[in-house]
Amino acid sequence: MSKEVFDELLGKVGPLITKVDTHLRMSIGPAERLAICLRYLATGDSYATIAFSYRVGRSTVAVIVKEVAGAIWTALVEECMPVPQVEDWRAIAAGFQERWEFPNCVGAIDGKHVVIQAPANAGSLYFNYKSTHSLVLLAVVDAEYLFRVVDVGGFGRSSDSGSLRNSAFGESLRDGSLQLPPDTVIAGSARRGPLPHVFVGDEAFPLLDNLLRPFPGRHLTCERRLFNYRLSRARLVVECAFGILSTQWRMLRRVITTSPEDRLL
């Protein structure tokens, strides 16, 4: 991260993470607090290692990471990931129609398990079907592989359907408060009348008015097999988006953990 980018980020989150000095001790400045958090997010170093580097307590690092990460989300969420409005949903639907030939689609949805160290006394809450402990990242991606809605924090033991049901996005989807465009007639299917705008997911998700999943079973009619092919092709964007995100993090971690001498070789 360049100094200019760091200063720009500090200008946005600085007021949210500035602490007041007391007569007992001076507070840690916002620039150092932001640097500690970014160091942890970029490298994944232990709290003890970062505490030694910055000469602060390990518990102090833990508090700083939690507070600054929340401040970064609060300061940047409206700029980097605003809640889509009606016109945004229409633009997303147009993208799916043009690139993936799936009409009235406003996003592909899927869940990603992010491996973590199990918290103390958590029992089996975070234990998933892969025999690891994880949090669930639930995301909606548009036709350009861009994340439009994210929900982080679902227990690893929960299925994609359960994570959706317990998320704020799932609640908005059920009560109709997502501000989706009104039902429209699909070209070539006027006899079916106006059809709703939908999200597409895999078999792990429930079938809802605004959420489609593939037809189950193996012995399907030609029309159902064609529908499953079209839906799976449109849904593939969320799988690719997760793959791109994982690759970027691996490359970033490799660059950070490689010594300057090795980078010249």
Side-chain angles (χ1 to χ4, degrees):
M1 177 180 289
S2 65
K3 183 178 184 301
E4 292 74 17
V5 175
F6 181 86
D7 291 340
E8 180 182 358
L9 180 59
L10 180 61
K12 295 178 180 179
V13 304
L16 302 177
I17 61 176
T18 300
K19 300 297 183 178
V20 179
D21 295 334
T22 69
H23 66 281
L24 296 177
R25 61 181 177 178
M26 301 290 289
S27 63
I28 299 175
E32 187 174 358
R33 293 170 65 85
L34 179 59
I36 290 174
C37 181
L38 293 179
R39 166 78 176 275
Y40 175 79
L41 295 177
T43 65
D45 285 344
S46 66
Y47 288 162
T49 300
I50 298 175
F52 181 79
S53 299
Y54 287 88
R55 297 184 179 182
V56 296
R58 185 170 58 179
S59 60
T60 302
V61 173
V63 173
I64 288 176
V65 168
K66 182 177 181 180
E67 291 181 351
V68 176
I72 292 175
W73 171 264
T74 301
L76 299 182
V77 61
E78 292 300 329
E79 176 183 345
C80 300
M81 193 172 291
V83 177
Q85 303 300 316
V86 175
E87 293 304 320
D88 299 319
W89 293 123
R90 284 200 179 100
I92 295 172
F96 272 99
Q97 173 66 50
E98 179 181 355
R99 297 197 62 176
W100 307 108
E101 299 179 343
F102 201 99
N104 283 20
C105 180
V106 290
I109 184 172
D110 199 8
K112 175 75 171 179
H113 286 270
V114 181
V115 178
I116 63 170
Q117 182 177 352
N121 302 318
S124 61
L125 281 178
Y126 298 92
F127 193 75
N128 59 43
Y129 68 97
K130 297 181 180 180
S131 299
T132 61
H133 294 87
S134 64
L135 290 173
V136 177
L137 165 61
L138 191 70
V140 174
V141 176
D142 66 13
E144 304 289 337
Y145 308 102
L146 299 178
F147 289 88
R148 292 305 190 107
V149 178
V150 295
D151 186 273
V152 186
F155 296 127
R157 67 179 297 180
S158 301
S159 63
D160 287 344
S161 177
S163 298
L164 176 64
R165 181 174 59 253
N166 297 326
S167 67
F169 171 76
E171 183 178 352
S172 299
L173 184 63
R174 290 191 301 271
D175 61 24
S177 60
L178 282 178
Q179 299 186 17
L180 296 178
D183 299 354
T184 58
V185 176
I186 297 176
S189 299
R191 61 186 178 84
R192 298 183 182 275
L195 297 175
H197 287 75
V198 296
F199 298 91
V200 292
D202 57 19
E203 297 87 349
F205 290 96
L207 180 64
L208 304 174
D209 291 342
N210 297 108
L211 177 58
L212 294 183
R213 49 168 288 173
F215 283 105
R218 312 181 79 178
H219 305 288
L220 302 176
T221 63
C222 180
E223 291 80 6
R224 292 191 173 190
R225 287 201 303 271
L226 180 60
F227 173 84
N228 282 358
Y229 165 73
R230 293 288 190 186
L231 185 144
S232 297
R233 193 172 72 156
R235 192 190 63 80
L236 191 62
V237 296
V238 68
E239 300 282 357
C240 293
F242 280 136
I244 294 171
L245 183 64
S246 299
T247 301
Q248 289 177 339
W249 276 108
R250 282 196 297 268
M251 293 177 62
L252 176 63
R253 184 171 178 82
R254 185 179 305 169
V255 169
I256 292 174
T257 56
T258 302
S259 64
E261 293 79 8
D262 294 336
R263 296 176 195 172
L264 297 176
L265 299 179

